[in-house]
Amino acid sequence: QKEVEQDPGPLSVPEGAIVSLNCTYSNSAFQYFMWYRQYSRKGPELLMYTYSSGNKEDGRFTAQVDKSSKYISLFIRDSQPSDSATYLCATLSGGYNKLIFGAGTRLAVHP
Amino acid sequence: GAGVSQSPSNKVTEKGKDVELRCDPISGHTALYWYRQSLGQGLEFLIYFQGNSAPDKSGLPSDRFSAERTGGSVSTLTIQRTQQEDSAVYLCASSLFYLAGGDTGELFFGEGSRLTVL
């Protein structure tokens, strides 16, 4: 079993839709969770960062962590074509020396 | 430089040849990481440097893979006797602190080196 599981999609939605992206993780000791966004042929960039459980909001993006179910989510409101990218969830390893990534979900927002 | 620089951006090689991939991290960043990204597989950790030493090289797939970092700056990932399964995008990232991403979980990635082994 992978430490971080993520459905690779692809996910296709119309402009303006609410998008929900999800990951599960296996180690209850994980505390730090991130979402990275990767445009085609580019490196990933940090989008959201959360510590432990709860919600964090930044503009149209909300990151949510539920430690009881080991589930992390990213919600995108009023999705735009410019949101079309691959979204990767990640967690900081137990040794705090590397990030462990999910497979990434490819999102396409069409006008 | 302003960002993480990787070269070459694309490399096509024949099976059995050796390849070298180069990473130039953001100036002053002490930690440097190599990841591999294959289609549908996400980012697979390869090796991590703190300064010039590699405390964690647990992700290197085989002894054909090696990496070094000199002067606390540039790093080279070498793949010997390449195989077709080595075809992937090799991503380098750096961070200011020795903990991955410090307080923010932020690694700064280059655009990657796309390796194709024929």
Side-chain angles (χ1 to χ4, degrees):
Chain A
Q1 180 189 8
K2 289 185 177 180
E3 291 183 282
V4 180
E5 299 273 7
Q6 183 176 11
D7 185 341
L11 185 61
S12 181
V13 301
E15 184 175 354
I18 297 174
V19 176
S20 172
L21 303 168
N22 307 293
C23 292
T24 58
Y25 61 94
S26 59
N27 191 334
S28 57
F30 292 154
Q31 297 275 11
Y32 298 88
F33 304 94
M34 305 94 194
W35 285 94
Y36 278 75
R37 179 173 62 192
Q38 184 178 24
Y39 290 113
S40 180
R41 302 217 169 229
K42 299 291 186 182
E45 296 177 313
L46 181 67
L47 184 62
M48 298 284 285
Y49 164 85
T50 53
Y51 169 71
S52 195
S53 281
N55 291 0
K56 184 173 184 178
E57 190 172 317
D58 184 0
R60 296 183 295 109
F61 298 88
T62 300
Q64 189 174 78
V65 177
D66 182 348
K67 293 202 73 184
S68 63
S69 58
K70 295 192 223 133
Y71 202 80
I72 54 180
S73 302
L74 178 70
F75 299 97
I76 307 174
R77 291 183 298 280
D78 186 26
S79 55
Q80 302 295 309
S82 58
D83 296 329
S84 299
T86 296
Y87 290 81
L88 299 126
C89 59
T91 183
L92 192 58
S93 70
Y96 300 113
N97 64 347
K98 61 183 177 244
L99 295 185
I100 303 168
F101 286 87
T105 300
R106 189 151 50 96
L107 171 68
V109 181
H110 51 86
Chain B
V4 177
S5 178
Q6 291 189 247
S7 62
S9 54
N10 281 285
K11 176 72 176 179
V12 180
T13 190
E14 293 179 347
K15 178 181 173 181
K17 300 283 189 181
D18 297 352
V19 297
E20 282 191 354
L21 308 177
R22 176 189 167 105
C23 173
D24 201 341
I26 293 173
S27 178
H29 279 193
T30 59
L32 185 147
Y33 304 80
W34 284 98
Y35 283 84
R36 178 168 71 174
Q37 187 172 32
S38 305
L39 192 62
Q41 297 298 311
L43 271 69
E44 175 190 7
F45 170 80
L46 298 178
I47 188 170
Y48 149 70
F49 286 92
Q50 175 57 31
N52 291 336
S53 65
D56 189 347
K57 55 180 80 172
S58 62
L60 294 177
S62 73
D63 58 8
R64 296 186 296 105
F65 287 72
S66 63
E68 65 174 10
R69 188 179 185 194
T70 55
S73 180
V74 172
S75 176
T76 302
L77 177 68
T78 301
I79 309 172
Q80 295 178 310
R81 305 181 302 283
T82 52
Q83 303 294 310
Q84 287 182 331
E85 61 262 29
D86 300 334
S87 296
V89 177
Y90 290 82
L91 289 160
C92 175
S94 68
S95 68
L96 185 58
F97 305 108
Y98 78 93
L99 295 179
D103 291 333
T104 65
E106 185 159 23
L107 296 185
F108 295 85
F109 283 87
E111 295 194 345
S113 292
R114 184 175 298 271
L115 175 66
T116 302
V117 182
L118 302 177

